[in-house]
Amino acid sequence: MSTIALAGCSTRPLGSFLQALGVLRLVGMQADSSATGEWHGDVFHLTTTLTPDNLVDFFSEGYAPTPVISPWNGGSGFGDKDQQAGIAAIERSTTDRFEPYRRAIAVGRDLVKEPGWDEGRDAKARQIARCRAALPDEAVEWLDASVVLAGDRLAFPPVFGTGGNDGRLDFSNNFMQRLAEILLVERRKKDPDPRTWLRAALFGDNSGELAQKPGGQYSPASAEPGISSPTGGGTALLNPWAFILMIEGGLVFASGAARRLGGGTRARAAMPFCVDSTSVGHPSSAPAEESRGELWAPVWRQPATAAEVGRLIGEGRASWRNSDAANGADFAKAAASLGVDRGIERFVRHGLVQRYGLSYLAVPLGEIMVGSRPEVKVLAQVDGWLERLPYTVPSGVASARRRVEAAEFRCATATGTDIAGLFQEVLMALSELELAVARSRGVRAESVPVGAFGQGLVAAQWLPLLDDGTAELHLAAALASARDRYAAGQLSDANQRGSSLALFLRPIRLDSGGRVGWAPAKPRVDGLGRRSVADLLAEVMELRFRDALDAQEMGEPVVKGPAVGWDLGIPASIEDLVLLVEGRLDTDRLGRLLGALLLLDWRGAASADLRLSSPGAAGTQPIPSALSVLLPFFQKRVLVDRSGGEVWLRPSPRWARLLRSGGADGSTQVVEDALRRLRISGCSPALNTVRADMATTGPLLASACLTPYRASAAARLLHDLAGPDVSVNSAASSPALAPRIQLTQLEGTQ
């Protein structure tokens, strides 16, 4: 046994990959049944009892071609006006290796002479059915690879165009012509040596002068001379032996297409490793209407016989969301999450796209490594919503959808370390898509918001994948998870007030059962993705005050003034809030992240499931005085003195208006009022006047105050503000201090 590197058989272009399959298939069937093949990098290696010279001798002298005929096609050689050189040469031949071919041609000749052969609207389907019943078994293999009959409907696997032809180029007739030129025609001294072409096809040797013959869609480089013609009508160049081996290799896909086509299924989706096209993942990708689909060529490292490769490809599947991958994007996600057959190292993606007038070419679109990345499976939650969108949508919605699909593709095919950023891009794009859908009246009527029908994006599964350790992500998570807790039966009322930040900023509402649906109009606070995140949150704060006052007027139990803070939410760190207030964050990115994380379903997730990476060391940076003074007012907590008396800290409704105005004067007035309220409460602050560092931008200060943060941080702030005779009970306080004031959490809060 020897291992032969077939440098002429590589993973790309598609024709070269099919050559490798053809070599293994023919050697295994006709010369050495023990032969195996595997890929080393991009080069195919054949392990066989044959030497390289024996291999050349086998194809030149012993190879028996598979009968490839297409009586159902115009130009196939069976019509009176067709090119007859190849088919006639085979019919005149007398060698044994062409005997199966001669028998198949004879049956084809009889079929086309039958009365009514080409009459009627369904003539092609009847022709295929008759050919399948009458042709010898050797010829049916080509039929199954090129066309599939499902009832009275024809479907065409993309490897061989539309039923074995590419426009006016019939592959079977060209195959017969190349066979005749190589194996049947007596050669003159000045003619190129066919063995030179064969060695070039096998070993990558110099092929000498190529034949000026059409090769079809399989090798873009061979069509390059046609670029000089506006219609692609220039002369193509071809290695005849490469074309022969390529057609023989494509037959490996035959049985899978025939066996797996079901009722109503498109053939290119049922054929092994062939899926619909998707215009993501490569700049050369074409829109679906300009593509015959994609073929994902499997590359394996372990030696495999022709029979084993036949089973791999014939029964191969790529599974995504418990079904066969429908398009290239699904295939990439299947490959990343081990939804493909074992033993495959990677796939080389080929798009069969329209080029050079009306012709198609197999364009290499990159390669995808097969890997074990279970985190990619969360993208199935996104796809569950995408599939509910109408097929035909306005251009703005279609563009937004392509951005989601492109982000998913990058996420599935990534090999670097910035995984969090890639998953963030998916949700950012999805947020933009939902807003685009909500703005389109027609699409909105036929679709639902993200999270409808209980098919939400589970926060506990997404958050670990999104966490990049940045303050922007941590603040976005704190804000997006901010929500109120209401008793059973009160959800309808909660919806009117806005029981979560999502109900303010997304175009959604909840029904009495907690189900997500479209809001009747724009979001309560419109402008997510278009307006400053600080301005949005300042407006939300004003509405929270208004909702709380409305609830109080309706007789709901609101004591000691409105409580604007949230009951639940991932607490932000004080350090991150300081960065926000001081303007040291990328607020544009914070806004995009907030829109992304608002899509997540935070309900039903335990606190342990929602932990983020630890921020920097606590207390390492000074806290602006304005933030220290105001934050405790936005906790739903009460100060309790030693005698049992309660001291309530509640903000004034006018604060939101003053902060939202954006001026330093407004912030100063708010802080002065807060200091006064602290003194009245009995918590004597060490600060008696407003200092210069309190002139903080109002919307940023409002954003920080609206963000959930830890109770222990509130205790720390109060401790820092209190005079020397006051201590505050917190996790860090010493029991020996016997505190006079402590923080107590209100009933029903986190």
Side-chain angles (χ1 to χ4, degrees), residues 516-536:
V516 178
W518 292 118
K522 294 180 180 179
R524 292 189 69 190
V525 179
D526 193 22
L528 184 63
R530 305 191 309 274
R531 294 171 53 194
S532 160
V533 64
D535 290 341
L536 291 173

Side-chain angles (χ1 to χ4, degrees), residues 569-617:
I570 298 177
S573 71
I574 295 296
E575 288 70 30
D576 288 343
L577 294 178
V578 170
L579 295 176
L580 174 64
V581 168
E582 293 183 344
R584 291 194 281 148
L585 294 183
D586 184 346
T587 52
D588 289 339
R589 180 169 178 265
L590 173 60
R592 295 190 68 209
L593 284 171
L594 178 59
L597 271 65
L598 286 173
L599 298 176
L600 301 182
D601 185 356
W602 302 90
R603 297 172 295 178
S607 298
D609 297 329
L610 301 176
R611 291 178 179 172
L612 292 164
S613 58
S614 299

